[in-house]
Amino acid sequence: MSEKKIPYKIYLSEDEMPRVWYNLRADMANKPAPLLNPATLQPMTAAELEGVFCKELVAQELDDHTPYFEIPREIRDFYKMYRPSPLVRAYCLEEKLDTPAKIYYKFEGNNTSGSHKLNSAIAQAYYAKRQGLTGVTTETGAGQWGTALSMACGYLGLDCRVYMVKCSYEQKPFRREVMKVYGASVTPSPSETTEVGRKILAQFPGTTGSLGCAISEAVEAAVSTPGYRYVLGSVLNQVLLHQSIIGLEAKTALDKYGVKPDVVIGCAGGGSNLGGLIAPFMGEKLRGEADYRFIAVEPASCPSFTRGAYRYDFCDTGMVCPLAKMYTLGSGFIPSADHAGGLRFHGMSSVLSQLYDDGLMEAVAVKQTDVFAAAEEFARVEGILPAPESSHAILAAINEAKRCRETGEEKTILFGLTGTGYFDLVAYGKFHGGEMHNFAPTDEDIARSLAQLPKVD
Amino acid sequence: MSEKKIPYKIYLSEDEMPRVWYNLRADMANKPAPLLNPATLQPMTAAELEGVFCKELVAQELDDHTPYFEIPREIRDFYKMYRPSPLVRAYCLEEKLDTPAKIYYKFEGNNTSGSHKLNSAIAQAYYAKRQGLTGVTTETGAGQWGTALSMACGYLGLDCRVYMVKCSYEQKPFRREVMKVYGASVTPSPSETTEVGRKILAQFPGTTGSLGCAISEAVEAAVSTPGYRYVLGSVLNQVLLHQSIIGLEAKTALDKYGVKPDVVIGCAGGGSNLGGLIAPFMGEKLRGEADYRFIAVEPASCPSFTRGAYRYDFCDTGMVCPLAKMYTLGSGFIPSADHAGGLRFHGMSSVLSQLYDDGLMEAVAVKQTDVFAAAEEFARVEGILPAPESSHAILAAINEAKRCRETGEEKTILFGLTGTGYFDLVAYGKFHGGEMHNFAPTDEDIARSLAQLPKVD
């Protein structure tokens, strides 16, 4: 390779780090549908939400018109421990694929939580602390969010109780241990510690759990413990707001070099990474200033965009949460336990759901073994061992770059590399050992689950 | 915290990345003693060494007068995947310790190998590839070196056979798995696959192995396989040469801000990180241009500097390697298996041994539980979960900063944060569970081991 005009890694200086988060909803003509109170079917009020969430976060959750929110200095100081994160030009991958495409990825894995989740964790913990709360509860699937929240709470001196989806709890013992280093308590979900947990266990003995179950337990624990609130690592508008720092940094870095992506690709579970990465680009598209293609990549085992319905549904299995309008497989949907990593949530961010429904974004579902093959190909040329979640985006980016090889198009591809796979080596081992399989729900599975949706629309 | 003049993280641009390695030996008045042929007790010739090591690396090993070696472009390209590495100002740690000291650390953990080892792995793999070899063999203790070499070989398409110290092989199953992702074969050592392994197993049945055993096996495998050479991750002069990039980057970054460290601290097992970190600073000291304090931090369980002898010894347990003059506990010394992490080598780099013997460097031995307590304190305020090895340096830096709190001195402390502890969570778990103990050899243990040293001096 010859010397490059664009460096392998573009690092913004700390001065160039965004001082505001961008609220994509402000530029949406069709606003995402409001959260509904399941009892009254009326939009949730701030007062109702403040029993579950911190006051400041409720304000962010409900605000669909303020375009920018200032990032408090304390949060920016914390961000500086691991941000700005690098935007990497994937020269080695391009060469390996022999493609005329130019591939960039925004790498969010260079922190101990191993993912982008820390961006919202510190924000949510900060507002809880500022409100004078004692602690927070949450759920975690693959473990990134729980680790991130543990780190943020450890830093601020806030109690942290994590309900961890049981199959991840068992598959990823080291994740539990990291959370403990940062002082969190970790309970496998469903558990006997909550009413909703006991109910789910009675109904589905031996269940390996789901994010939906764990959310129900964490919410119950929060509302029944004085001085506690619940925090969530994805799906919510506030989380996408905090995660906009990913896209804002990526865009600033690309702008510095006069680069404009043709297509922006992200993995999608609840939508936190994808929503954050695309935010400023989608904003330009919504305002008619530029055009981009956006691709959400989801697992074939949990295909909410590509096979779900755009309906009001509960975010949790226990049906204790407000109703959100979203692409959903039904809150009773539990993805195959053999699926490694996260992206196992039955629904999708309301913001992203509306954009997808408006035809502003594409979605594709991919098979697990293809994802791990892409992960390994990537690791060997780019060095980084990617998280299985992130590897969904890697696979889609590689496929796009291969199409460019066929057509000769010099497309610029930007994708989100949300994290590292250091805690996913059981899954990598299964892949190597030929013990990894592909699962997808049948049409009947999905129809059965969707039939249970609340009758709202 | 207010806005800072010096950023939290100083990233050099890729253009500022060093284009040469610095050979500290060129500035040493007392050169490190040469390797000796154990049969003749004469200095090893290039021809003799080339049966074990690549030609180019032998030239680097023997050259004690050329101050700079150009880094080949291919290696610089690889470096750009994860370098320049950040120099971090530990503002949060300073605040937590309430110290007037200014603490900086050079963080080498932001790559999948999780440590600085990749700096020499890519260099050694590159020269092997350029010589037209088929593959390389090596040993690994904690697993960082094996992972690093696997990554380098995976990138260049070179076979890689790793002998992994048995207790690490068992304690760190995920390390094995990462190496396999990168295409390496991994054998627990001592093994039945080599003559020397079978001999050691017969003599010490049930041994959990040591780096010294694993080196013997890897060397035997290399010399008995056509097209193979042996590579080593520490101790050797060539390794310290490659690792000088750590110190060169750190010094360039500090110089940009007009900062001069008073004390430079690094953990020391075989000496690769410490030798690399201190190189350009020690060079200034040797040339009389500046003065610095240097502190080597070693585990109390394997205290080669503080309790060993400066003598000619074998680098390996099987006594198949050349003799090196170094601070050593004796090649038969096997540190307690309860000691977590690396730094378990019985000897120390000849370069560092000579500097220490000349009074140019200090050394301190620390207890394992103190190391993990420092690691956890660091993780909670600086975010990064440190490797146990690196945490030896953290502990010494914290102790130095606490002394500054007592005396009011505003010292500038630079330490090497060699890597991350993502694969060390079994050890962290033991620490939390109160199951971690401190071991140190008795004087009799060391005397018995030293009595076996070859009679050379």
Side-chain angles (χ1 to χ4, degrees):
Chain A
M1 270 173 271
S2 58
E3 300 289 331
K4 304 291 195 297
K5 256 185 269 180
I6 292 176
Y8 282 63
K9 296 186 303 304
I10 307 175
Y11 276 107
L12 299 177
S13 72
E14 281 164 22
D15 290 340
E16 292 171 309
M17 198 174 76
R19 291 172 169 259
V20 293
W21 292 304
Y22 168 57
N23 184 10
L24 181 56
R25 289 167 290 168
D27 284 310
M28 290 171 69
N30 297 329
K31 304 289 183 193
L35 294 171
L36 297 187
N37 183 321
T40 64
L41 299 188
Q42 293 303 304
M44 292 289 288
T45 63
E48 285 170 334
L49 285 169
E50 284 167 13
V52 180
F53 299 106
C54 308
K55 208 171 157 64
E56 188 73 30
L57 292 167
V58 168
Q60 294 178 356
E61 188 64 29
L62 297 177
D63 188 331
D64 61 9
H65 60 277
T66 305
Y68 295 102
F69 284 79
E70 196 182 322
I71 307 175
R73 191 178 47 73
E74 292 84 350
I75 298 176
R76 277 191 287 121
D77 278 348
F78 186 89
Y79 277 168
K80 288 175 187 170
M81 293 193 336
Y82 68 102
R83 306 202 69 83
S85 73
L87 180 75
V88 185
R89 173 73 185 269
Y91 285 119
C92 300
L93 182 61
E94 291 170 20
E95 188 173 89
K96 171 82 189 306
L97 297 173
D98 191 22
T99 176
K102 294 166 185 63
I103 308 176
Y104 293 84
Y105 55 91
K106 179 70 170 166
F107 180 41
E108 292 287 320
N110 270 352
N111 68 75
T112 291
S113 82
S115 86
H116 67 293
K117 296 284 184 181
L118 200 50
N119 302 331
S120 187
I122 184 59
Q124 297 193 47
Y126 168 77
Y127 290 119
K129 181 78 181 177
R130 210 175 64 176
Q131 192 175 323
L133 298 174
T134 312
V136 291
T137 69
T138 198
E139 75 297 324
T140 197
Q144 284 101 330
W145 168 246
T147 310
L149 190 67
S150 305
M151 288 175 68
C153 290
Y155 180 83
L156 294 171
L158 205 60
D159 289 349
C160 179
R161 292 194 207 161
V162 180
Y163 287 87
M164 186 169 186
V165 177
K166 193 179 274 172
C167 68
S168 289
Y169 186 90
E170 284 157 8
Q171 278 174 4
K172 303 187 174 186
F174 289 179
R175 275 281 180 204
R176 303 186 321 236
E177 216 47 69
V178 191
M179 291 187 247
K180 286 179 193 166
V181 168
Y182 289 96
S185 79
V186 188
T187 308
S189 168
S191 77
E192 298 283 350
T193 68
T194 65
E195 204 171 308
V196 66
R198 290 188 291 272
K199 206 172 118 191
I200 291 167
L201 282 172
Q203 203 177 346
F204 307 101
T207 176
T208 54
S210 72
L211 264 185
C213 301
I215 293 174
S216 301
E217 292 206 84
V219 170
E220 182 185 321
V223 299
S224 60
T225 312
Y228 273 67
R229 290 295 185 282
Y230 166 72
V231 298
L232 179 63
S234 191
V235 183
L236 295 176
N237 301 332
Q238 59 189 266
V239 179
L240 268 71
L241 175 70
H242 306 148
Q243 294 296 357
S244 68
I245 195 162
I246 303 173
L248 291 166
E249 281 187 8
K251 188 157 188 319
T252 303
L254 288 172
D255 284 349
K256 273 180 87 161
Y257 290 89
V259 174
K260 193 181 155 301
D262 296 294
V263 52
V264 184
I265 299 171
C267 62
S272 72
N273 149 69
L274 181 67
L277 176 66
I278 70 172
F281 302 99
M282 182 63 88
E284 286 194 336
K285 181 166 176 157
L286 292 171
R287 297 189 302 269
E289 297 165 7
D291 197 18
Y292 304 94
R293 273 181 71 205
F294 300 99
I295 306 176
V297 193
E298 58 185 15
S301 64
C302 195
S304 22
F305 268 141
T306 51
R307 297 179 65 196
Y310 188 34
R311 297 269 299 277
Y312 264 105
D313 191 11
F314 289 95
C315 288
D316 64 323
T317 312
M319 304 188 185
V320 303
C321 285
L323 296 168
K325 189 171 179 190
M326 55 185 178
Y327 276 85
T328 180
L329 296 162
S331 65
F333 181 83
I334 295 193
S336 160
D338 294 272
H339 178 70
L343 311 181
R344 296 165 56 91
F345 188 60
H346 66 275
M348 185 59 67
S349 144
S350 292
V351 173
L352 296 181
S353 293
Q354 186 61 47
L355 294 168
Y356 182 65
D357 203 57
D358 287 341
L360 292 159
M361 195 169 70
E362 304 162 37
V364 60
V366 293
K367 286 194 293 187
Q368 178 163 239
T369 51
D370 293 344
V371 166
F372 275 82
E376 190 163 292
E377 182 169 15
F378 179 84
R380 291 195 184 183
V381 292
E382 289 290 319
I384 299 164
L385 185 80
E389 297 80 8
S390 325
S391 304
H392 288 69
I394 293 174
L395 172 59
I398 287 178
N399 288 342
E400 196 68 27
K402 284 180 177 168
R403 273 190 290 274
C404 290
R405 185 175 60 199
E406 304 308 318
T407 63
E409 287 174 288
E410 295 188 17
K411 280 190 191 169
T412 297
I413 300 168
L414 167 65
F415 74 89
L417 188 69
T418 54
T420 50
Y422 304 144
F423 294 100
D424 299 286
L425 285 155
V426 171
Y428 273 98
K430 279 189 183 166
F431 173 67
H432 274 121
E435 298 156 42
M436 179 171 280
H437 307 290
N438 292 307
F439 291 89
T442 64
D443 290 341
E444 292 69 33
D445 290 338
I446 294 176
R448 198 164 38 238
S449 173
L450 289 177
Q452 306 300 317
L453 287 191
K455 304 287 175 282
V456 177
D457 321 70
Chain B
M1 270 172 270
S2 57
E3 299 289 331
K4 304 292 195 298
K5 256 185 269 180
I6 292 176
Y8 282 65
K9 295 186 302 307
I10 308 175
Y11 276 107
L12 300 176
S13 72
E14 281 164 22
D15 290 341
E16 292 170 309
M17 198 174 76
R19 291 172 170 259
V20 293
W21 293 304
Y22 168 57
N23 184 10
L24 181 56
R25 288 167 290 168
D27 284 310
M28 290 171 69
N30 297 328
K31 304 290 183 193
L35 294 171
L36 298 186
N37 183 321
T40 64
L41 299 188
Q42 293 302 305
M44 291 289 289
T45 63
E48 285 170 334
L49 286 169
E50 284 167 13
V52 181
F53 300 106
C54 308
K55 209 173 157 62
E56 189 73 30
L57 292 167
V58 168
Q60 294 179 356
E61 188 63 29
L62 297 178
D63 189 331
D64 60 11
H65 60 276
T66 305
Y68 295 102
F69 284 79
E70 196 183 323
I71 307 175
R73 191 179 45 72
E74 293 83 351
I75 297 177
R76 277 190 288 121
D77 280 347
F78 186 89
Y79 278 169
K80 288 176 188 170
M81 293 193 336
Y82 68 102
R83 307 202 69 83
S85 72
L87 180 75
V88 185
R89 172 73 183 269
Y91 284 119
C92 301
L93 181 61
E94 291 170 20
E95 189 174 89
K96 172 82 189 306
L97 297 174
D98 189 23
T99 176
K102 294 167 184 64
I103 308 175
Y104 292 85
Y105 55 91
K106 179 70 170 165
F107 180 40
E108 292 288 320
N110 270 352
N111 69 74
T112 290
S113 82
S115 86
H116 67 293
K117 296 284 184 182
L118 200 50
N119 302 331
S120 186
I122 184 60
Q124 297 193 47
Y126 168 77
Y127 291 119
K129 183 77 181 178
R130 209 175 65 175
Q131 191 174 324
L133 298 174
T134 311
V136 291
T137 70
T138 198
E139 75 297 324
T140 198
Q144 284 101 329
W145 169 247
T147 310
L149 190 68
S150 306
M151 289 176 67
C153 290
Y155 180 83
L156 294 171
L158 204 61
D159 289 349
C160 180
R161 292 194 207 162
V162 181
Y163 287 87
M164 186 170 187
V165 177
K166 192 178 276 173
C167 68
S168 289
Y169 185 89
E170 283 157 8
Q171 277 174 4
K172 304 187 175 185
F174 290 179
R175 275 281 180 203
R176 302 183 324 234
E177 216 48 68
V178 191
M179 291 187 247
K180 286 179 192 164
V181 168
Y182 289 95
S185 80
V186 188
T187 307
S189 167
S191 77
E192 298 282 350
T193 68
T194 64
E195 205 171 307
V196 67
R198 289 188 291 271
K199 206 171 117 189
I200 292 167
L201 282 172
Q203 203 177 346
F204 306 101
T207 176
T208 54
S210 72
L211 264 186
C213 302
I215 293 174
S216 301
E217 291 205 85
V219 171
E220 182 185 321
V223 300
S224 60
T225 313
Y228 272 67
R229 290 294 185 284
Y230 166 71
V231 297
L232 179 63
S234 191
V235 183
L236 295 176
N237 301 331
Q238 60 189 266
V239 178
L240 268 71
L241 174 70
H242 306 147
Q243 295 296 356
S244 67
I245 195 162
I246 303 173
L248 291 166
E249 282 187 6
K251 190 158 188 318
T252 304
L254 288 172
D255 285 349
K256 273 180 84 163
Y257 289 89
V259 175
K260 193 181 153 304
D262 296 294
V263 52
V264 185
I265 299 171
C267 63
S272 72
N273 147 70
L274 181 66
L277 175 66
I278 69 172
F281 302 99
M282 182 63 87
E284 285 194 338
K285 181 165 175 158
L286 292 172
R287 297 189 302 269
E289 297 164 8
D291 197 18
Y292 304 94
R293 272 181 72 205
F294 300 99
I295 305 176
V297 193
E298 57 185 16
S301 64
C302 195
S304 22
F305 268 141
T306 52
R307 298 179 65 197
Y310 189 33
R311 298 269 299 278
Y312 264 105
D313 191 10
F314 289 95
C315 288
D316 63 322
T317 312
M319 305 187 184
V320 303
C321 285
L323 296 169
K325 189 172 179 190
M326 55 186 178
Y327 275 85
T328 180
L329 296 161
S331 65
F333 181 83
I334 295 193
S336 161
D338 294 273
H339 178 68
L343 311 181
R344 297 165 55 90
F345 187 62
H346 66 276
M348 185 59 66
S349 143
S350 291
V351 173
L352 296 181
S353 293
Q354 185 61 46
L355 293 168
Y356 182 65
D357 203 57
D358 287 341
L360 292 159
M361 196 169 70
E362 304 162 37
V364 60
V366 292
K367 286 195 292 187
Q368 179 163 237
T369 52
D370 293 344
V371 166
F372 275 82
E376 190 163 291
E377 183 169 13
F378 180 84
R380 291 196 183 181
V381 292
E382 288 290 320
I384 299 165
L385 184 80
E389 296 82 6
S390 324
S391 304
H392 288 69
I394 293 174
L395 171 59
I398 287 178
N399 287 343
E400 196 68 27
K402 284 181 178 169
R403 273 190 290 273
C404 290
R405 185 175 58 200
E406 304 309 316
T407 63
E409 287 174 288
E410 294 188 18
K411 280 190 191 169
T412 297
I413 300 167
L414 167 65
F415 74 88
L417 188 69
T418 54
T420 50
Y422 304 144
F423 295 100
D424 299 286
L425 284 155
V426 170
Y428 273 98
K430 279 189 182 165
F431 173 67
H432 274 121
E435 298 157 41
M436 179 172 280
H437 308 289
N438 292 306
F439 292 88
T442 64
D443 290 342
E444 292 69 34
D445 289 338
I446 294 176
R448 199 164 37 238
S449 173
L450 289 177
Q452 305 301 316
L453 288 191
K455 304 287 174 285
V456 177
D457 322 69

